[in-house]
Amino acid sequence: MVSQFKVQNDLRELMNIYEILDNVSDVVYFTGVDLKIIWANKTLYHLLGKDEGSLVGNYCFNAIQNNEHKCIKCPIARIIETGEIQEGEMDLKGNEIFHVTGIPVKDKNDQILGIINISKDISIQKKADEAIEREQLLMNILMDNITDRIYFKDLESRFIRVNKAMAKRHGFDDTSKIIGLTDFDIFTDEHAQAAYNDEQRIIKTGAPILDIEEKETWNNGPATWASTIKMPLKDASGKIFGTFGISRDITERKKAEEQITEYVDELKDLNATKDKFFSIIAHDLKNPFNNIIGFSELLVEEVHENDMVAIENYANMIYTASNQTFRLLENLLDWANSHRGYMLFSPELLSLSEVALEITEDQKEFAVKKNVTLRNDITEDLTILADRNMLISILRNLISNAIKFTSRKGEIVLSAIRKDGFLEVSVKDNGMGMSEKTRKNLFRIDVNQSTKGTEDEKGTGLGLILCSEFVQKHGGKIWVESELGKGSNFKFTLPL
């Protein structure tokens, strides 16, 4: 049987590689078969807040866990029993749980000399020194069992060594198959060139690149993300003869961050929607009813006075206020149903000219009352795939908006043309137009913007927001071309 003294001497002969192990971010420590610590790296001392050297000679379960007996989850006992690599979760400090791999170190007769313990969750920070023959055993064990991707490159950025995790990620079952290749053989030229530039800069300046996040674009798969450290590779004299790097896949984390960003944007939209909704209910919906009630009271008085002119005026005012309120309620209900998912998107083949005729006839009464000409130039029989209710809502709101901002004796023209596989519909007026600032904020729910019409007509901006949402559901775009005092031209597209 191999003596404990012989075991410790044999293990100490391997300690000349401490410069590598002492500067990796992995927690690494050696024990004998008696579970006493022979050597531990700085990372473990720093993690436990203990002085260097203070762990040597102590039982690992006492020095690290403050236990008086073997840890239940400790893999070391199972290693001694089975002679095989063991893995388990260990609480190395407070509530911090680390996945630990226990690796037996054996002699030529397959006798266990000791155990190397490696934490999976911490990456190597320092470059590996040039391995010597006695270091190769430990280096191979470390390289084969660390889950982060590790690679070494020469001055021409060719791979000279990689670990198993790196080879597997690149689709190789043998680490030797990647030797001599470059990033240009694996990644897209864009990513490979960026990596090559980084490495050549490190070789030239000797300055490392620490903790960068890189988007990896592959020739044969989806893009991934990695957190990377890149360092100069130096020989014993300090001369740079290549680079090495450590890369950790953070694709899932980046996806989670993107999802969180989407959630935040959705919450902002929901808050803006809620604020808009309450604003409309509190002000824009309340005021017309106040007007209707007030005019109705005056109308009752004028009936007693038998003043038919006044009665007609008040009746017209009540009609106008009622109609505006009804239009607002229509938009409000459409908007609410759309956001609650109650308004289904049901496209069907429609004749645009028939829908345009229906809407212009419906809006003509309001145009006539304001002495505005409403002209429908959509006479060609254009067939489109669209949701009828949404299309009617879009056209009704755009024409109603144009009437509101067009002065008496003005003109509004509805037209459509085929363009680049889309149908481009236009509602053009020669009204008051708008400033660039107003134009930029027209379709934004988070901006409370309302401009009075040419005859002080009030609005909420809700109709245009509805138009934008409905056009987007069709896969089209909506925009406005306008200058202050020169009218506006609202346009939207629908796919043919």
Side-chain angles (χ1 to χ4, degrees), residues 272-327:
T273 300
K274 178 198 67 177
D275 292 342
K276 188 77 172 178
F277 188 83
F278 287 146
S279 173
I280 290 170
I281 292 176
H283 301 287
D284 301 293
L285 196 56
K286 178 182 177 182
N287 291 337
F289 278 110
N290 286 336
N291 292 336
I292 293 171
I293 293 170
F295 291 142
S296 298
E297 291 176 351
L298 292 172
L299 183 60
V300 171
E301 294 176 3
E302 296 302 333
V303 167
H304 292 300
E305 295 288 336
N306 201 27
D307 186 343
M308 299 308 295
V309 175
I311 290 173
E312 183 179 1
N313 287 337
Y314 289 136
N316 283 330
M317 291 177 183
I318 292 172
Y319 175 78
T320 301
S322 300
N323 186 72
Q324 289 175 349
T325 306
F326 178 73
R327 297 297 185 189

Side-chain angles (χ1 to χ4, degrees), residues 98 117 139 166 177 203 237 244 285 319 416 425:
F98 293 85
N117 294 275
M139 179 60 73
M166 182 75 170
K177 292 181 180 180
I203 292 169
S237 65
F244 77 93
L285 196 56
Y319 175 78
V425 183

Side-chain angles (χ1 to χ4, degrees), residues 251-287:
T251 304
E252 292 305 315
R253 194 196 83 194
K254 295 295 287 187
K255 288 181 180 178
E257 289 175 354
E258 291 174 1
Q259 189 68 56
I260 289 172
T261 300
E262 290 179 8
Y263 288 154
V264 170
D265 291 340
E266 287 178 7
L267 284 174
K268 288 180 179 178
D269 288 342
L270 286 173
N271 279 331
T273 300
K274 178 198 67 177
D275 292 342
K276 188 77 172 178
F277 188 83
F278 287 146
S279 173
I280 290 170
I281 292 176
H283 301 287
D284 301 293
L285 196 56
K286 178 182 177 182
N287 291 337

Side-chain angles (χ1 to χ4, degrees), residues 15 53 61 63 80 121 148 150 167 220 228 254 262 268 270 292 323 329 379 390 392 404 407 411 414 455 462 485 492:
M15 298 291 284
F61 54 80
I80 295 173
D121 294 339
D148 288 344
I150 303 175
N220 56 354
T228 304
K254 295 295 287 187
E262 290 179 8
K268 288 180 179 178
L270 286 173
I292 293 171
N323 186 72
L329 279 172
T379 55
M390 291 186 182
I392 288 174
K404 174 182 172 183
S407 300
E411 184 180 50
L414 176 62
E455 297 185 359
L462 181 59
F492 66 93

Side-chain angles (χ1 to χ4, degrees), residues 237-250:
S237 65
K239 182 180 178 181
I240 295 175
F241 65 94
T243 60
F244 77 93
I246 307 159
S247 179
R248 173 172 294 176
D249 190 282
I250 58 169

